[in-house]
Structures are given as C-alpha cells and as structure tokens.
C-alpha cells in the first residue's frame, strides 16, 4: 500500500509500513551502522566504534542488539580468548541498501544547494 492509499486511514503511524520501517532504522546511529557494515563487512565491534567515533560503547552495543533483534544484523562470535565478535548484514538489511544509496544520492544533489 502506498502512502497515498493510507491517507486518512492512519490512526497511528506505527501501524503503517512506513512506521514499521522507521521503527527499524530510527535513531541517530542505526543507518550509520548499516552503511558502515555495507561498505566493509564483516566488521568487529571495536572497528565499528573507531569508524563512527562519537558513539559510546554502550550505545553501539544497544544499537547492534536492536538491529540484530530486528533481523538486520548478524552477530558471529568466535570462541577464543580474547573474545572475537563480527557483525555483518542479513539479507533483510541488504534489501535496504538501495534506499540508503538513494539517501546518499539525495545528499550529493542537495548538500550545497
């Protein structure tokens, strides 16, 4: 159903496909994490932290857990000392990449307008 088809029928935005999509990718860091994983996966936790910079360890950890719970990120743990954990995108997340690319393209066209 398109946005136009929902016009006037929406009581709660979270009940729409748009609301669902926004709930999955909302927040300051989720799309950044998805973008970085798409560019270079698999990625270890500390590498993600280093690439993002301004995120706390606690926030990165919680955002990754939410993305994993929503089926967008795979977490692979290796049984070794020290522990090694890698993150990568699921097929569900891969299907979001064209949308992220469109957002980047929009930024290219409008950043200096």
């Amino acid at each position: 159903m398109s946005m136009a088809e929902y016009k006037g029928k929406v009581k709660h935005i979270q009940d729409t496909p748009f609301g669902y999509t926004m709930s999955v990718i909302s927040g300051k860091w989720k799309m950044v994490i998805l973008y970085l994983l798409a560019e270079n996966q698999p990625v270890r936790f500390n590498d993600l932290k280093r690439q993002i910079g301004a995120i706390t360890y606690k926030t990165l950890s919680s955002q990754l857990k939410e993305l994993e719970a929503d089926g967008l990120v795979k977490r692979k743990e290796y049984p070794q000392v020290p522990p090694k954990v890698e993150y990568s995108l699921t097929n569900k997340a891969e299907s979001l990449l064209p949308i992220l690319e469109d957002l980047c393209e929009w930024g290219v066209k409008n950043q200096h307008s």
Side-chain angles (χ1 to χ4, degrees):
M1 210 179 246
S2 71
M3 287 174 48
E5 292 172 297
Y6 272 97
K7 195 172 186 175
K9 300 176 187 175
V10 176
K11 291 187 181 201
H12 301 287
I13 192 70
Q14 66 266 22
D15 297 334
T16 67
F18 177 78
Y20 167 74
T21 303
M22 292 308 296
S23 74
V24 171
I25 62 171
S26 67
K28 184 175 180 179
W29 302 109
K30 287 183 181 177
M31 290 202 312
V32 172
I33 292 166
L34 293 172
Y35 177 84
L36 290 172
L37 287 175
E39 290 295 308
N40 187 28
Q41 60 180 331
V43 180
R44 294 179 69 177
F45 183 91
N46 284 334
D47 291 334
L48 265 178
K49 168 71 174 91
R50 201 171 6 266
Q51 290 175 31
I52 297 171
I55 193 170
T56 65
Y57 286 100
K58 181 180 177 182
T59 300
L60 178 57
S61 179
S62 70
Q63 295 290 275
L64 284 166
K65 284 178 184 172
E66 288 177 24
L67 287 166
E68 186 179 9
D70 287 330
L72 298 178
V73 168
K74 290 183 279 193
R75 181 182 189 273
K76 184 172 182 181
E77 191 171 334
Y78 296 89
Q80 64 185 48
V81 177
K84 176 182 174 184
V85 178
E86 292 180 335
Y87 296 91
S88 58
L89 299 178
T90 63
N91 290 338
K92 185 177 180 179
E94 296 274 350
S95 70
L96 272 173
L97 295 183
I99 296 165
L100 292 179
E101 289 171 13
D102 287 345
L103 288 171
C104 290
E105 191 61 33
W106 184 89
V108 166
K109 291 176 183 174
N110 293 283
Q111 185 174 15
H112 299 292
S113 317

